[in-house]
Amino acid sequence: MVAAAEQLIGRAAEIEALRKALAGLDGGEGRAVEVVGEPGMGKTRMLAELGAMADADARLVLSGSASELERGLPFGVFLDALDDYVRGLEPRRLRSLDDETRAELAQLFPSLREADADDARRLDDKRYHTHRAMGRLLQTLAASKPLVLLLDDLHWADSGSIELLGSLLRRPPAGVLLALALRPRQQPERLFGALERAQREGVATRIELRELGAEHARELLGDAVGATAATELHAQAGGNPFYLEQLARSPRRLGDAVAGEASLAAVDVPPAVAASITQELTVLPPDVRRVLEGAAVAGDPFEPELAAATAGVPEPAVMEALDELLRCDLVRQTELPRRFRFRHPLVRRAVYEAAPGAWRLTAHERGAEALAARGASAPERAHHVEASARTGDLAAVTLLSEAAAATAPRAPATAARFYAAALRLLPDAGHDTARLELLSARAQAHAAAGQFAEAHGALLECVDMVREEAVAMRVTLTAACAGMENLLSHHAEAHARLFGALEELPDPRSPEAVELMVQLSVDALFRMEYDSMREWAQRALDAARPLDDRRLQA
């Protein structure tokens, strides 16, 4: 159940749009609503208001949020929204799903891995299995009553979640309202296209949150702030609701400086707002602030146990500190027990960046160790390892490689990031084979994600590393490079690469030569030279026949 939002001021038209989107579920069709606005405009409050309305109408409401510092966890926003609920379902609710769908879901949700251990087999690399399984799960959850799925801060969502959302928006599951909140200027390109298409087709409704007027700002701040001060705060906050409330919290007034404002320098936040947040942190007792810093490293939302581990503080002390942080409204309880959130992502960002840099390294190390002790998977631990591991740490290289391999079939862009992190940690000398394997795997992941320029760069590094005598490997990598170049419309470069490699072969009628001729035939198709395409294909066939290799002949 989603708690009712604080009173929303100046959003009557937006709330009415939410009511209409919710009413659209009564016909049994799938719908989507997109809430967009700059940081602090009240997107999370709007989702909470929708959740409260849906809950009052006896809809099933589930919510999840992407997090700025945890973008490496595949399908993280869906796991946040669904995993705990799925864990509590009666097994019969999921028995209506076919074995293949349950097996795919068991790969995604930790709560299903043990229950469906026999079915959790690895499916092939086609991501549509994951998208189809998630759609069927949502439709199953909505079978008894409509489901409202609230997904917040999608500008920080991982690539797997973005692709999955695109699939769901093309054909929203029956009885499901997807409510999405994000910042327009940070919107992932793929999600932008999917939302634009959904709006054109009448599937999605867009709600854009704009600045509050001076009258609504005075109403928001209430009697605690005088009319003159409210007008001044409105001018400085630009009508942004969060900035207004944040400035009103501060005993300092306009233009006052506070040491440490730079903790939000990378975010487009007014200096007075950054100063106000910093003030809240400076008055905390050191032990309470250390717990808050540990929570910022642990995640958002976070569990007290993991915050204790990252902060290096005993759990009883963390619970005492949490009471103080709740009283100060720096963190808030969620609808789930033993799970807390920061008041706003900007507060978490400020806490994290203001923490000492060296201390953050050790905090991430402690976080990785705590998750390992829990039996967390490699992708779940990879974020902390990536943020803290030392160059030359081969155990970290192995873990990141495992995380990438586990992630690649369903979220290849995230896998490419993990492979890149593993490569950064690999020692410069003595690990050429491992580096070549990681580069090759990274290239494949980039290519699967449609990141052809990055894949091409990784393949070029591979070619440079392969010894001259490793002819078969060099030819395979050369063909892959040329393939990427053709996809990037660098057709002349691709042709020169393939033809040059063929000319350099010591045996012009070897299997490697046949492979290059086949690639030259494909290359001619890209250049629309169809006679040349037929000629290279015939040369390849003539060279393959004496080799008695049916695969090459085919």
Side-chain angles (χ1 to χ4, degrees), residues 43-44 47 62-71 73 75-82 149-158 161 179-183 299-302 334-336 339-342 344-345 348:
K43 299 182 294 296
T44 299
L47 288 191
L62 299 175
S63 63
S65 177
S67 185
E68 182 179 14
L69 303 179
E70 287 81 34
R71 303 187 199 188
L73 181 62
F75 307 103
V77 65
F78 287 93
L79 292 175
D80 188 35
L82 296 168
L149 185 62
L150 311 175
L151 302 177
D152 201 1
D153 289 329
L154 288 174
H155 43 276
W156 289 324
D158 63 279
S161 292
L180 320 175
L182 65 157
R183 300 175 185 173
D300 192 18
F302 64 89
T334 70
E335 62 271 17
L336 295 176
R339 189 171 292 186
F340 301 84
R341 280 193 183 280
F342 282 80
H344 192 277
R348 187 215 180 174

Side-chain angles (χ1 to χ4, degrees), residues 221-261:
L221 296 175
D223 297 334
V225 178
T228 301
T231 300
E232 291 177 344
L233 291 174
H234 173 265
Q236 188 165 9
N240 184 299
F242 173 74
Y243 296 170
L244 276 165
E245 294 177 324
Q246 185 61 50
L247 291 174
R249 289 173 180 272
S250 174
R252 295 178 180 264
R253 279 307 175 223
L254 312 179
D256 290 353
V258 176
E261 285 183 19

Side-chain angles (χ1 to χ4, degrees), residues 262-318:
S263 63
L264 280 173
V267 187
D268 187 15
V269 172
V273 175
S276 176
I277 295 175
T278 304
Q279 282 180 334
E280 289 189 82
L281 304 182
T282 57
V283 300
L284 291 175
D287 55 339
V288 175
R289 179 157 180 174
R290 182 48 44 91
V291 170
L292 188 64
E293 291 167 344
V297 172
D300 192 18
F302 64 89
E303 298 174 6
E305 296 81 6
L306 192 55
T310 53
V313 174
E315 285 186 28
V318 169

